[in-house]
């Protein structure tokens, strides 16, 4: 992974920015919402108090029967078909019954559905009716109240018989329809609204359950949607808020206001993307319960349930209009310590999502821009860094390839940062390495220079010793000493040869010559030296002109030949070949002999590297300069020297391109 | 009377050896350890031949200075440089200052004696008329071996003793290739191949300086050199 990619990865850190911003916007939105919620709760509280103070017709405390509005005409037939639209809000009673109550302009309808698999049947008029399955229906209007016994031995019309004495306006009997099947029985009847019923009681007595008191009825007040209360509420309700009064059982008894929002101009209306952003990023805590939106007679919402417990509750819901929210606040209505219902205030709002969305959008846009800018800046920075590092690396590699010396100044050394430090360290390092290399290079010649004087002392002393009248037995020792000094002298000369050669090679003068002539001449010269070894020369028939230093090339060939000859076994072969190439010429000297060890091939042409075994006593010392000279000559001619193994032999090749021509004058 | 030779050499052991050896060869040799000593002595009386080391004590180029000084006093005094240095640059500097020969300290005392004798012989023979049998002539070249003079078209080429012996070796058998070993032996010189090459180069230059058309010394690559008549 490159530095640039790494820095780009680092740039991803700026992604934390939008996240932080998103958290911040959410927090801000929460604060806004809390403020709004508190305001609405305050309104709700004020509303609840006002309703108590103005003595509005509030629903009674405790459980009550709720009369639904009958939307379709109801026929008294004992079947629930015409109650279908009302059945979702059937009020459960006891453990096996459901009760539905409805009213229209003239009648109040009752439908009682009892689940009973084991039946005991009797008519109401039957004496044993109280021991059979029966219903006790109790109604009251003002101070009058009456109880009726309702039972039937068979499906069809039946009559409920009053159980109490005369009760004013209330009828003595109620005509009802009774139907039954395997799962239970149902009774349906109606009473005129003119009776002004305000209480209704019911007792379901199934004989199989073993009822101890067959005459009880559960009396509860009857409530319905109250227009006077709605008017009262409308008077008190704040603008832009829907107010609903719920009975303690969560029945809707009064309502005022609508959830409509003022229409926004098209441009300001949040688009689908904005609302999507709002819903997915911000509004994750909106309740999705849709019960509040329906035109239901019973509003059974969590906040309402909470308010029933006497606590204030608020809830946020997604609004009907796109991008809007609805805030609901539920507040119990308390009168003399009893809960008379709940005020539910609902306030639709577009401001919060709009604000939050705008903030979020602004934030996202800013952070995206920041991300782009940061990424771009980092990319630029990384690119610059990479370029500088690459320059440094290239310089280091060049210097390394060049024995620690760099042509020209080391880059970046005047930079003030860490890279500059690194470059300066590199520079110092290469200075040291270069100095060391120079030292090594010149060590031999310096050493030989210093050794020359003591050597001259010994030599001249030995010369003098000759004439000092030594006894004859000393003569051999003198000869040996002379031999040793001569060998020492050779050694010292060989040591300085490299630097002398370098100087000589550098100052060589070029001529236009035919390379074939030189090689031919050399080959002729070598023939005498080859002895019993075969020497072949392969020369092209045409001249090979080259701008070169013939002395140097002959010298290099001398070294190669000397080298080849020493490795060729007696009777072996040697071959000198000259071939003309596209941009110069190759001279190859191959010979029979042992192959080159693979480990040495790269260093073969270095100074002071020798393949030979330790020099046998008496031989001239071998310092491994020969092939080094060959390399220097080749390089002076803009070429190179190489060595390779042949089948049963070795070939050394000089690739020459000629010396650069110097301009005249 | 013995010829007087001065040896200016800062290394006392070498100086002593040389002085003793030259005395034994029949010369009257004196050694001087520094340029000042030598200058003082030479102011009194000039020797007949001077052998100078280039590096003298603290003065790395002291020998060159002394040579310049001496050459100013006498144009004919034979001067031999003797040094541990052997770079071409030093050789050329020394010869340009008018030294008659340039030897490395490798040179044995016998070789040194041979050179001294040759120089004296040259001086002597210049005074006497040339004996005709010692003259070798090849076209424009005239080589007087007694006087150790080389003339090209009648103009003298200023060769050192070493160079003269090399030319002499080549000219004695024109057309024969002389390899480097042979040249070395004839010139009583123990040097390496590169030095022979530079000697030959210098000889050519000296000829060409006076006769631009000169190309009589031919290089036979891989073998040596020959004189083409």
């Amino acid at each position: 992974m490159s530095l640039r990619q790494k820095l780009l990865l680092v740039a991803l850190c700026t992604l934390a920015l939008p996240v932080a911003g998103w958290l911040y916007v959410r927090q801000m939105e929460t604060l806004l919402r809390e403020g709004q919620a508190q305001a609405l709760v305050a309104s709700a509280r004020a509303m609840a108090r006002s309703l108590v103070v103005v003595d509005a017709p509030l629903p009674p405390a405790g459980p009550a029967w709720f009369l639904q509005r009958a939307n379709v005409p109801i026929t008294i037939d004992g079947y629930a078909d015409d109650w279908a639209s009302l059945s979702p809000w059937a009020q459960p009673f006891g453990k096996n019954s459901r009760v539905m109550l409805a009213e229209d302009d003239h009648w109040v309808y009752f439908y009682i559905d009892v689940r009973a698999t084991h039946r005991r049947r009797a008519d109401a008029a039957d004496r044993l009716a109280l021991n059979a399955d029966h219903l006790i229906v109790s109604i009251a209007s003002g101070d009058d109240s009456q109880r009726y016994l309702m039972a039937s031995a068979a499906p069809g019309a039946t009559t409920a018989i009053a159980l109490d004495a005369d009760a004013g306006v209330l009828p003595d009997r109620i005509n009802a329809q009774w139907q039954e099947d395997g799962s239970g029985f149902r009774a349906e009847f109606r009473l005129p609204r003119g009776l002004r019923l305000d209480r209704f009681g019911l007792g379901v007595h199934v004989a199989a359950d073993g009822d101890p008191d067959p005459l009880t009825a559960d009396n509860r007040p009857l409530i319905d949607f109250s227009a006077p209360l709605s008017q009262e509420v409308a008077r008190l309700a704040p603008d832009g808020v829907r107010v609903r009064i719920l009975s303690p059982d969560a029945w809707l008894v009064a309502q005022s206001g609508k959830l409509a929002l003022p229409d926004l101009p098209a441009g300001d209306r949040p688009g689908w993307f904005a609302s999507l952003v709002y819903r997915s990023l911000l509004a994750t805590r909106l309740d999705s319960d849709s019960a509040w939106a329906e035109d239901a007679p019973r509003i059974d919402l969590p906040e309402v349930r909470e308010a029933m417990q006497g606590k204030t509750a608020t809830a946020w819901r997604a609004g009907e209009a796109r991008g809007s929210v609805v805030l609901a606040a539920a507040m119990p209505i308390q009168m003399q310590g009893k809960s008379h219902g709940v005020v539910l205030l609902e306030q639709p709002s577009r401001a919060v999502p709009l604000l939050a969305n705008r903030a979020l959008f602004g934030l996202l846009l800013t952070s995206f821009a920041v991300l782009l800018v940061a990424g771009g800046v980092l990319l630029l920075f990384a690119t610059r860094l990479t370029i500088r590092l690459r320059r440094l690396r290239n310089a280091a590699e060049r210097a390394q390839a060049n024995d620690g010396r760099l042509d020209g100044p080391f880059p970046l050394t005047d930079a003030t940062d860490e890279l500059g430090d690194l470059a300066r360290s590199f520079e110092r390092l290469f200075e040291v390495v270069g100095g060391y290399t120079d030292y090594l290079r010149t060590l031999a010649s310096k050493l030989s220079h210093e050794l020359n004087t003591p050597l001259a002392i010994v030599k001249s002393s030995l010369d003098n010793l000759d004439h000092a009248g030594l006894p004859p037995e000393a003569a051999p020792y003198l000869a040996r000493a002379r031999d040793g000094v001569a060998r020492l002298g050779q050694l010292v000369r060989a040591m300085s040869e490299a630097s002398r050669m370098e100087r000589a090679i550098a100052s060589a003068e070029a001529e236009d010559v035919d390379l074939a002539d030189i090689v031919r001449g050399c080959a002729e010269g070598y023939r005498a030296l080859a002895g019993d070894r075969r020497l072949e020369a392969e020369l092209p028939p045409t001249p090979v002109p080259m701008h070169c230093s013939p002395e140097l090339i002959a010298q290099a060939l001398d070294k190669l030949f000397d080298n080849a000859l020493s490795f060729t076994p007696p009777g072996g072969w040697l071959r000198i070949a000259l071939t003309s190439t596209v941009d110069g010429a190759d001279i190859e000297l191959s010979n029979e002999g042992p192959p080159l060890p693979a480990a040495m091939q790269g260093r073969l042409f270095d100074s002071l590297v020798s393949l030979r075994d330790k020099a046998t006593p008496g031989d001239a010392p071998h310092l491994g300069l020969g092939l080094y000279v060959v390399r220097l000559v080749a390089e002076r001619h803009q070429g190179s020297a190489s060595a390779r193994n042949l089948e049963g032999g070795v070939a050394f090749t000089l690739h020459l391109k000629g010396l650069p021509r110097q301009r005249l004058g | 009377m013995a010829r007087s030779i001065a040896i200016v050499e800062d290394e006392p052991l070498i100086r002593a050896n040389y002085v003793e050896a030259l005395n034994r060869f029949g010369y009257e040799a004196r050694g001087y350890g520094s340029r000042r000593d030598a200058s003082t002595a030479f102011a009194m009386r000039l020797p007949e031949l001077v052998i100078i080391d280039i590096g003298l004590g603290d003065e790395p180029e002291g020998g060159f200075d002394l040579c310049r000084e001496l050459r100013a006093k006498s144009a004919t005094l034979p001067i031999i440089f003797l040094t541990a240095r052997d770079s071409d640059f030093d050789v050329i500097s020394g010869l340009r200052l008018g030294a008659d020969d340039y030897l490395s300290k490798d040179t044995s005392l016998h070789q040194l004696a041979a050179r001294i004798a040759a120089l004296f012989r040259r001086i002597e023979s210049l005074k006497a008329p040339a004996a005709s049998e010692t003259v070798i002539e090849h076209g424009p070249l005239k080589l007087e071996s007694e006087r150790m003079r080389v003339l090209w078209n009648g103009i003298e080429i200023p060769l050192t003793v070493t160079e003269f012996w090399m030319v002499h070796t080549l000219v004695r058998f024109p057309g024969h290739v002389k390899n480097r070993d042979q040249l070395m032996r004839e010139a009583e010189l123990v040097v390496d191949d590169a030095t022979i090459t530079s000697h030959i180069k210098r000889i050519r230059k000296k000829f060409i300086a006076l006769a631009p058309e000169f190309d009589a010394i031919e290089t036979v690559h891989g073998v040596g050199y020959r004189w083409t008549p």
Side-chain angles (χ1 to χ4, degrees):
Chain A
M1 198 181 222
S2 79
L3 204 60
R4 221 183 312 186
Q5 289 162 331
K6 280 182 188 166
L7 273 171
L8 270 185
L9 260 188
V10 170
L12 288 184
C13 281
T14 45
L15 278 183
L17 225 61
V19 172
W22 168 63
L23 287 174
Y24 172 74
V25 168
R26 268 183 77 144
Q27 183 125 26
M28 193 192 73
E29 204 234 358
T30 309
L31 280 176
L32 277 174
R33 280 186 184 192
E34 266 174 24
Q36 212 176 346
Q38 276 171 12
L40 198 65
V41 164
S43 302
R45 187 173 289 124
M47 184 98 199
R49 291 222 179 108
S50 315
L51 282 172
V52 173
V53 168
V54 301
D55 204 11
L58 291 169
W65 298 111
F66 183 78
L67 289 170
Q68 297 189 58
R69 186 80 197 163
N71 300 322
V72 290
I74 293 174
T75 319
I76 302 300
D77 52 5
Y79 291 103
D81 305 353
D82 31 14
W83 292 83
S85 62
L86 306 176
S87 58
W89 292 279
Q91 299 162 69
F93 182 76
K95 56 180 188 289
N96 51 5
S97 314
R98 290 190 312 138
V99 178
M100 285 187 275
L101 300 96
E103 62 181 354
D104 61 15
D105 292 342
H106 306 290
W107 300 93
V108 178
Y109 302 86
F110 300 83
Y111 182 88
I112 300 147
D113 179 356
V114 181
R115 306 266 131 214
T117 43
H118 297 286
R119 294 289 315 281
R120 187 181 294 168
R121 298 181 181 84
D123 278 332
D126 199 314
R127 165 172 76 79
L128 290 173
L130 283 179
N131 289 333
D133 301 336
H134 66 277
L135 302 171
I136 301 292
V137 173
S138 150
I139 53 172
S141 171
D143 295 335
D144 302 329
S145 71
Q146 180 60 281
R147 286 188 300 162
Y148 303 89
L149 169 67
M150 192 176 288
S152 178
T158 183
T159 306
I161 305 164
L163 291 176
D164 298 325
D166 180 50
V169 296
L170 299 177
D172 288 344
R173 46 190 68 222
I174 299 171
N175 292 320
Q177 285 290 328
W178 187 283
Q179 297 296 343
E180 59 178 84
D181 55 21
S183 66
F185 58 89
R186 286 160 286 277
E188 187 181 18
F189 57 93
R190 66 179 184 185
L191 292 168
R193 275 189 78 131
L195 289 177
R196 296 192 174 280
L197 296 176
D198 53 12
R199 293 172 73 75
F200 171 68
L202 180 66
V204 175
H205 302 278
V206 178
D209 293 348
D211 203 341
D213 189 355
L215 287 174
T216 53
D218 187 358
N219 285 307
R220 298 178 193 177
L222 275 172
I223 54 171
D224 60 356
F225 187 84
S226 157
L229 186 58
S230 295
Q231 278 162 21
E232 194 65 48
V233 165
R235 230 158 37 83
L236 295 168
D239 288 343
V241 174
R242 181 168 75 178
V243 183
R244 294 199 271 192
I245 307 293
L246 308 178
S247 79
D249 285 337
W251 295 104
L252 178 67
V253 293
Q255 176 170 350
S256 155
K258 281 183 179 169
L259 278 182
L261 276 169
D263 270 348
L264 283 174
D268 282 357
R269 209 170 293 156
W272 64 269
F273 183 67
S275 42
L276 182 76
V277 166
Y278 180 73
R279 269 164 202 281
S280 53
L281 286 182
L282 291 167
T284 48
R285 288 161 304 154
L286 289 184
D287 300 327
S288 57
D289 195 344
S290 59
W292 63 277
E294 289 169 21
D295 194 13
R298 191 160 188 267
I299 315 290
D300 188 18
L301 294 173
E303 65 268 26
V304 173
R305 282 198 291 274
E306 215 171 311
M308 297 298 183
Q309 311 294 317
K311 286 185 234 154
T312 313
T314 54
W316 287 92
R317 300 210 160 71
E320 278 175 318
R322 197 163 59 192
S324 73
V325 289
V326 172
L327 167 64
M331 172 65 70
I333 305 170
Q334 303 274 4
M335 199 157 63
Q336 289 149 13
K338 281 183 180 169
S339 176
H340 280 262
V342 171
V343 179
L344 182 64
L345 261 63
E346 287 159 319
Q347 185 179 37
S349 163
R350 197 173 269 144
V352 169
L354 269 186
L355 268 179
N357 260 6
R358 273 194 199 134
L360 188 67
F361 259 136
L363 184 92
L364 286 180
L365 223 63
T366 313
S367 13
F368 188 63
V370 166
L371 194 68
L372 273 186
V373 169
V377 166
L378 273 177
L379 192 68
L380 276 181
F381 177 70
T383 307
R384 181 159 173 267
L385 209 60
T386 313
I387 288 172
R388 293 173 71 205
L389 278 174
R390 207 170 290 155
R391 273 177 64 204
L392 198 58
R393 185 202 59 199
N394 290 346
E397 275 175 5
R398 265 205 326 278
Q400 191 209 348
N402 205 7
D403 291 339
R405 272 174 304 209
L406 189 63
D407 40 343
F410 211 80
L412 298 178
T413 47
D414 44 359
T416 51
D417 58 0
E418 284 83 349
L419 271 185
D421 284 346
L422 186 63
R424 281 187 287 278
S425 299
F426 263 130
E427 192 183 33
R428 277 195 296 279
L429 176 68
F430 279 119
E431 264 168 25
V432 170
V433 169
Y436 184 66
T437 312
D438 275 348
Y439 169 73
L440 278 186
R441 199 191 299 273
T442 55
L443 177 67
S445 77
K446 274 184 191 150
L447 205 59
S448 76
H449 189 78
E450 291 306 316
L451 284 174
N452 263 333
T453 303
L455 201 59
I457 295 172
V458 174
K459 226 173 182 177
S460 54
S461 300
L462 284 177
D463 285 346
N464 277 341
L465 204 58
D466 258 349
H467 304 274
L470 285 177
E473 59 266 34
Y477 301 119
L478 189 64
R480 281 175 212 166
R482 217 183 271 284
D483 191 38
V485 170
R487 220 188 284 176
L488 200 59
Q490 277 179 341
L491 249 177
V492 167
R493 254 204 319 281
M495 276 162 73
S496 60
E497 193 185 357
S499 57
R500 222 171 31 241
M501 280 307 297
E502 278 169 35
R503 271 201 303 271
I505 287 167
S507 63
E509 285 161 18
E511 306 166 31
D512 283 311
V513 292
D514 177 9
L515 211 53
D517 272 354
I518 297 173
V519 176
R520 191 178 297 115
C522 287
E524 292 308 315
Y526 299 152
R527 225 178 273 287
L529 300 171
D532 62 347
R533 300 170 179 91
R534 278 196 322 284
L535 175 66
E536 299 161 22
E538 288 172 14
L539 299 167
T542 51
V544 183
M546 182 172 280
H547 188 69
C548 64
S549 164
E551 269 95 14
L552 286 186
I553 288 173
Q555 215 160 2
L557 275 178
D558 286 356
K559 305 283 182 195
L560 280 180
F561 178 74
D562 185 41
N563 189 63
L565 194 61
S566 63
F567 282 105
T568 310
W573 53 266
L574 296 114
R575 184 166 57 240
I576 298 181
L578 172 70
T579 44
S580 182
T581 59
V582 181
D583 53 354
D586 285 356
I587 304 174
E588 188 177 80
L589 209 160
S590 42
N591 65 284
E592 189 179 339
L596 300 164
M600 290 287 287
Q601 294 216 2
R603 302 192 296 129
L604 212 51
F605 292 92
D606 285 355
S607 180
L608 303 181
V609 170
S610 177
L611 269 185
R612 288 163 217 256
D613 302 332
K614 291 280 171 219
T616 44
D619 268 3
H622 199 273
L623 292 178
L625 287 170
L627 291 181
Y628 177 57
V629 167
V630 170
R631 189 185 100 186
L632 288 180
V633 170
E635 283 172 1
R636 180 82 177 105
H637 289 84
Q638 305 178 77
S640 60
S642 64
R644 65 194 162 91
N645 285 320
L646 296 176
E647 192 85 15
V650 178
F652 286 83
T653 311
L654 268 178
H655 311 279
L656 302 173
K657 291 182 188 168
L659 284 170
R661 266 175 210 282
Q662 279 169 343
R663 276 160 202 242
L664 291 173
Chain B
M1 195 188 105
R3 293 180 180 275
S4 64
I5 296 177
I7 299 172
V8 188
E9 160 70 60
D10 58 340
E11 177 59 51
L13 297 179
I14 296 183
R15 191 170 67 227
N17 272 344
Y18 279 21
V19 168
E20 282 162 28
L22 291 179
N23 282 338
R24 201 168 46 245
F25 286 129
Y27 301 107
E28 185 196 323
R30 264 171 200 281
Y32 302 94
S34 72
R35 184 162 77 96
R36 217 182 45 232
D37 288 356
S39 295
T40 322
F42 296 160
M44 312 267 288
R45 174 171 163 257
L46 271 182
E48 286 169 79
L49 188 141
V50 186
I51 300 171
I52 308 175
D53 187 10
I54 293 177
L56 287 176
D58 301 338
E59 302 170 89
E61 310 271 287
F64 289 151
D65 295 341
L66 188 61
C67 173
R68 209 175 291 123
E69 221 171 273
L70 284 172
R71 196 45 86 214
K73 279 185 186 164
S74 162
T76 54
L77 177 70
I79 298 174
I80 298 178
F81 272 121
L82 189 71
T83 181
R85 305 189 187 191
D86 49 9
S87 76
D88 272 5
F89 180 74
D90 282 345
V91 176
I92 291 164
S93 303
L95 295 175
R96 197 173 288 153
L97 286 173
D100 292 272
D101 215 341
Y102 189 102
L103 298 174
S104 88
K105 283 181 182 173
D106 268 355
T107 318
S108 74
L109 287 176
H110 297 287
Q111 291 166 2
L112 179 66
R115 257 176 200 70
I116 291 170
L119 276 176
F120 280 134
R121 196 167 70 233
R122 189 197 269 189
I123 290 167
E124 283 299 310
S125 60
L126 285 176
K127 292 175 188 160
S132 58
E133 71 269 25
T134 60
V135 174
I136 304 171
E137 279 192 73
H138 270 295
L141 180 85
K142 188 173 172 200
L143 190 133
E144 304 171 1
S145 20
E146 283 304 312
R147 297 183 174 196
M148 307 185 87
R149 286 206 314 170
V150 172
L151 298 146
W152 185 266
N153 284 334
I155 308 163
E156 182 174 351
I157 310 289
L159 296 181
T160 69
V161 174
T162 312
E163 289 159 1
F164 171 81
W165 278 338
M166 283 187 175
V167 174
H168 185 253
T169 310
L170 291 171
V171 171
R172 259 195 311 171
F173 303 101
H176 283 218
V177 176
K178 294 288 175 191
N179 63 24
R180 291 184 170 85
D181 281 342
Q182 287 169 312
L183 286 174
M184 237 189 279
R185 219 177 306 122
E186 298 283 340
E188 303 241 0
L189 202 62
V190 184
V191 288
D192 50 74
D193 293 2
T195 312
I196 297 284
T197 310
S198 62
H199 272 293
I200 294 286
K201 253 190 213 163
R202 229 168 10 248
I203 293 169
R204 277 195 190 128
K205 270 186 193 152
K206 282 182 178 175
F207 274 101
I208 287 168
L210 293 168
E213 77 287 353
F214 175 83
D215 66 344
I217 300 178
E218 190 196 354
T219 309
V220 183
H221 294 292
V223 184
Y225 304 92
R226 75 174 150 211
W227 189 269
T228 47

